[in-house]
Amino acid sequence: MTETPRRPETARGSETDAPVVNAREAGRIARAAFVGTALEWYDYYLFGTAAAIVFNRLYFTTFDPVAATLASLATFGVGFVARPVGAFVFGIIGDRVGRRPALVATIVLIGCATGLVGLLPAYADIGVVAPVALAVLRILQGLAVGGEWGGATTIAVEHAPVERRARYAALVQIGSPVGTLLASGAFAVVLLLPSDSFDAWGWRLPFLAAFPLLIIALWIRLKVEESPIFKSLVELDRRAKIPALDVFRKSPRKLVLGIATSLIGIGGFYVFNTFAISYTTTTLGLERQLVVNATLFAAVLQLAVIPLAGFAAERLGAWRITLFGSLIVFVSGVPLFWMIDTSSPVLVTVAIIVGINVCAIPYAVNGALLAELFSPEQRYSGISLSYNIAGALSGFLPFIATALIANAAVPSSWPAVAILLALAALTGIGGLLSRRHLHPDRVVIQEA
């Protein structure tokens, strides 16, 4: 049965049983959520970049170049398989114990896992133990990210007035380009080293930097207060026993819509990032520094695109921005990959910058849309499961596209184009259908 959408119910300083949110505190909480998320994505994207240009040579040395790249990208994709498990586990913690404890646990887990990658000996030093340990650390990263993003989004929007949630959810999303910027920037710097030095120790430095960054992010996150909406759930005894199971049993349609609306923001990014790095360096023979720099420039532009999309969502609705952004990706996919296939350094750079940023439009409002799709009792779990199941489905896309290209008689980018168009279509449909299932909260806005 179709649910009738409800407009946000708010009050200002009136007596009501609704949770009280402090409008002035909302920005501080969202910024704290953003800092932790930026570290999470920095750690996660480091692995993606290294999978394309480092791990295939140092941890899978017994394979031929194409097989090594496939194995490396498969290890990268393993983290996506772990993400729904992390979403399930941390969703239970976030919806039962609290948003804050779950967020602290996730940031510690991913920071330690990433730092340990920088300490991991290569295949030449310890043999097959090296790629196995690499996969295990990637799985730990995936478990942590499975609970991180959904929790950061949940706590940011639940501290905010309903009509301003899109901007604060978008602020959390800026953690993604900042993480990319830091990861790509770190690799751009170490790539300036001589090849021997880069392979011997240079590539490890960005991973080892996760340890001091973790200390900073943890200090900031520990100062975040618990969500007023979660406190209200505790007081009213409305917490579900196993919230993640409730999402599957009571809200399966919303879960499917949530997965669909998340696909292009995640999968599209990895098509233009991880796959593009591998494809342009391995198949087209371009310099890896060129492509890493392109992702760096794209991340800078995202710092403007994401908040603009968030503000637009406050006026037009997150589902409309999701639909609009998906249409842009669908229309631009073929021309952008034609530009990449020219092997022109300028056109390749422009295509990657534009591709990442058109995918950023639906990604910017994904948190706001998912937050309204699920009720507070199952919100942490619902957001996390939707986003991370979408991540698991799209995490192997670089691997699939690379495998199809390797087996083609004449290598071309058509597998990536087909994947991109399919993801854009599914996200657009999901955005359109989700408008009938939105669930805004009732809160009291306290300005002081």
Side-chain angles (χ1 to χ4, degrees):
M1 187 173 177
T2 302
E3 299 177 19
T4 303
R6 297 188 289 108
R7 297 299 300 168
E9 299 179 40
T10 62
R12 294 182 179 273
S14 62
E15 292 295 326
T16 176
D17 59 354
V20 178
V21 298
N22 190 311
R24 297 184 63 180
E25 285 291 296
R28 183 183 67 82
I29 299 297
R31 286 189 292 272
F34 148 75
V35 170
T37 302
L39 173 62
E40 299 274 357
W41 290 126
Y42 166 76
D43 293 348
Y44 211 64
Y45 293 154
L46 274 183
F47 203 106
T49 304
I53 64 178
V54 176
F55 297 152
N56 56 324
R57 295 180 295 104
L58 299 184
Y59 289 87
F60 302 95
T61 56
T62 58
F63 300 117
D64 64 64
V66 173
T69 299
L70 291 175
S72 181
L73 292 177
T75 303
F76 171 70
V78 164
F80 286 92
V81 176
R83 283 171 58 171
V85 179
F88 189 94
V89 173
F90 287 108
I92 293 174
I93 297 172
D95 284 325
R96 287 287 305 170
V97 181
R99 316 322 195 188
R100 185 174 177 270
L103 285 174
V104 170
T106 58
I107 202 169
V108 171
L109 180 58
I110 196 171
C112 292
T114 302
L116 290 174
V117 172
L119 298 174
L120 185 64
Y123 185 92
D125 300 314
I126 59 174
V128 71
V129 175
V132 172
L134 187 66
V136 170
L137 291 174
R138 178 60 174 176
I139 290 171
L140 293 177
Q141 280 191 329
L143 291 173
V145 170
E148 154 60 27
W149 181 84
T153 299
T154 299
I155 204 165
V157 300
E158 289 187 346
H159 274 281
V162 175
E163 68 273 13
R164 303 180 201 169
R165 282 182 169 179
R167 74 180 67 181
Y168 295 120
L171 182 58
V172 175
Q173 298 296 66
I174 294 177
S176 175
V178 169
T180 303
L181 194 61
L182 293 172
S184 298
F187 263 103
V189 171
V190 295
L191 280 170
L192 297 175
L193 294 168
S195 297
D196 291 344
S197 297
F198 175 79
D199 287 348
W201 53 268
W203 70 269
R204 298 179 182 275
L205 298 180
F207 286 92
L208 294 174
F211 287 129
L213 291 175
L214 169 61
I215 295 173
I216 297 171
L218 183 60
W219 176 73
I220 293 173
R221 185 152 284 183
L222 285 172
K223 298 173 71 174
V224 172
E225 298 173 8
E226 185 55 86
S227 155
I229 289 179
F230 179 78
K231 291 179 180 178
S232 177
L233 292 178
V234 174
E235 292 172 1
L236 299 173
D237 194 24
R238 287 175 51 192
R239 289 172 293 172
K241 290 183 178 180
I242 309 179
L245 287 182
D246 279 358
V247 173
F248 287 100
R249 292 184 306 179
K250 299 179 180 180
S251 306
R253 185 176 299 179
K254 291 183 177 182
L255 179 62
V256 171
L257 291 174
I259 293 169
T261 59
S262 305
L263 284 173
I264 195 61
I266 306 170
F269 174 84
Y270 283 110
V271 167
F272 283 108
N273 186 297
T274 304
F275 168 78
I277 291 174
S278 176
Y279 176 69
T280 53
T281 57
T282 303
T283 303
L284 302 182
L286 296 176
E287 292 292 328
R288 55 190 178 184
Q289 184 75 53
L290 169 74
V291 191
V292 170
N293 287 342
T295 63
L296 197 64
F297 295 140
V300 172
L301 186 57
Q302 279 183 285
L303 298 180
V305 171
I306 289 177
L308 287 175
F311 280 110
E314 290 183 357
R315 302 179 68 88
L316 302 175
W319 71 267
R320 288 189 178 89
I321 302 302
T322 299
L323 176 61
F324 173 71
S326 300
L327 289 173
I328 294 178
V329 177
F330 191 89
V331 171
S332 63
V334 172
L336 289 174
F337 268 95
W338 173 84
M339 294 169 65
I340 290 174
D341 282 332
T342 64
S343 297
S344 164
V346 174
L347 291 181
V348 168
T349 299
V350 171
I352 291 175
I353 292 173
V354 173
I356 288 176
N357 276 277
V358 293
C359 291
I361 296 173
Y363 177 77
V365 301
N366 194 217
L369 183 60
L370 293 179
E372 287 199 353
L373 202 55
F374 296 96
S375 63
E377 294 90 339
Q378 54 182 225
R379 178 168 289 145
Y380 197 126
S381 297
I383 291 177
S384 298
L385 286 168
S386 297
Y387 186 81
N388 290 291
I389 291 174
L393 293 173
S394 58
F396 283 99
L397 295 182
F399 172 83
I400 294 171
T402 301
L404 291 173
I405 291 170
N407 292 318
V410 179
S412 70
S413 62
W414 71 263
V417 174
I419 288 170
L420 188 70
L421 297 185
L423 294 178
L426 290 172
T427 296
I429 293 170
L432 182 64
L433 297 179
S434 67
R435 74 191 192 281
R436 297 182 177 272
H437 300 273
L438 301 183
H439 191 284
D441 296 323
R442 185 170 184 266
V443 299
V444 174
I445 302 175
Q446 184 182 66
E447 298 289 355

